[in-house]
Amino acid sequence: MRRRLAALLLTLAAPLAAADAPLLTSHLRIHDPFVVAEQASATYWLFSKNDPAVTGDPRIGIMAYASSDLAHWQKPKLVFALPKDVWADDGGWAPEVHRWKGRYYLFATFHNDKAAIPVSGKRPNYRRATLLAVADRVDGPYHLIHKGEPVTGPDAMTLDGTLHVDPAGKPWMVYAHEWLQMGIGTMEALPLKDDLLPAGKPQLLFRANEADWVIGQKQPEGDMGYVTDGPSFIAPKAAPC
């Protein structure tokens, strides 16, 4: 289970009956899961890349499991399907759902390895980015915003975008700039407007090789690779009185 599994703990209703939630956590077929605790329905929603074997839907997209106790789960349903008329044709990695301005926004990484972009290193580069979709309900259905174009731009090979709202109430998308393009992967933050369009240029947070404990991986092309992946923000604990 991916290290970015996030769950907001809250008091929920009694567990669903076994007939309504027949799956145990160990039964789940998931990749890069993300959990949202919805207080209104006293339900945990676990989002992951769609698996046609469990949803019965062959489309590329995102599925969601529902639970009242994080132990017993309903069968998943498809909450977002990637349209066929956008630039991406595969993916569904690292989905996250965040509430913003009264609606629910899905962030998920998609790609198209046939859509080449300018090469800046020793490896072929192609379009990969976090797409944004919106819904009125946490369980969807979600629909792409910005006509399916990523906010990071078509020539940036990025992934794993997450929403961060700063103390001033301004939204940012924090993401990993792919090491495949950069050689040394980075974490970057893009300021956003209220409609989640870019409000400025990306800001570099750090490079993957900056910590003294980091060890790169020798690549077939002869260089060293330094990977960034899966940014996530954790609110700091208040200092003791």
Side-chain angles (χ1 to χ4, degrees):
M1 187 172 289
R2 198 167 186 269
R3 66 179 180 278
R4 286 199 313 130
L5 176 62
L8 173 63
L9 297 178
L10 72 165
T11 303
L12 296 178
L16 295 169
D20 296 323
L23 303 176
L24 300 179
T25 302
S26 60
H27 298 159
L28 304 189
R29 293 168 60 108
I30 51 179
H31 183 274
D32 291 346
F34 187 82
V35 176
V36 174
E38 186 192 25
Q39 293 184 339
S41 64
T43 302
Y44 294 102
W45 293 94
L46 187 154
F47 297 88
S48 183
K49 178 180 178 178
N50 181 47
D51 184 342
V54 293
T55 61
D57 194 315
R59 291 177 291 177
I60 297 168
I62 305 300
M63 65 181 182
Y65 293 85
S67 172
S68 64
D69 60 2
L70 291 176
H72 303 84
W73 300 86
Q74 297 177 9
K75 294 181 179 179
K77 67 175 184 176
L78 192 75
V79 297
F80 170 73
L82 184 70
K84 294 183 178 180
D85 59 352
V86 298
W87 61 268
D89 64 0
D90 203 355
W93 303 345
E96 295 192 7
V97 169
H98 298 274
R99 190 167 173 82
W100 172 250
K101 298 295 182 181
R103 305 185 79 188
Y104 293 93
Y105 287 85
L106 169 70
F107 291 62
T109 301
F110 293 88
H111 62 265
N112 184 341
D113 60 12
K114 297 179 289 296
I117 60 176
V119 175
S120 57
K122 297 185 176 183
R123 284 161 286 277
N125 294 166
Y126 53 89
R127 292 196 73 179
R128 175 180 293 168
T130 298
L131 298 187
L132 279 61
V134 66
D136 293 320
R137 294 166 46 97
V138 66
D139 59 336
Y142 287 85
H143 302 283
L144 289 176
I145 62 175
H146 310 326
K147 299 180 180 179
E149 287 298 316
V151 295
T152 47
D155 291 340
M157 197 174 183
T158 64
L159 72 164
D160 295 350
T162 185
L163 179 68
H164 172 68
V165 180
D166 67 22
K170 301 297 184 182
W172 298 70
M173 189 176 82
V174 181
Y175 57 90
H177 202 148
E178 183 66 90
W179 73 275
L180 292 170
Q181 183 178 37
M182 306 292 287
I184 299 172
T186 62
M187 290 292 186
E188 300 176 6
L190 179 68
L192 301 175
K193 302 176 184 177
D194 282 355
D195 60 3
L196 302 187
L197 280 169
K201 296 182 179 180
Q203 297 185 20
L204 175 67
L205 300 180
F206 62 88
R207 293 180 174 85
N209 66 340
E210 290 183 344
D212 57 11
W213 45 264
V214 169
I215 299 175
Q217 295 179 328
K218 188 69 173 292
Q219 300 303 307
E221 296 82 4
D223 60 343
M224 301 295 288
Y226 295 86
V227 178
T228 46
D229 187 79
S232 184
F233 277 79
I234 300 175
K237 294 182 179 180
C241 297

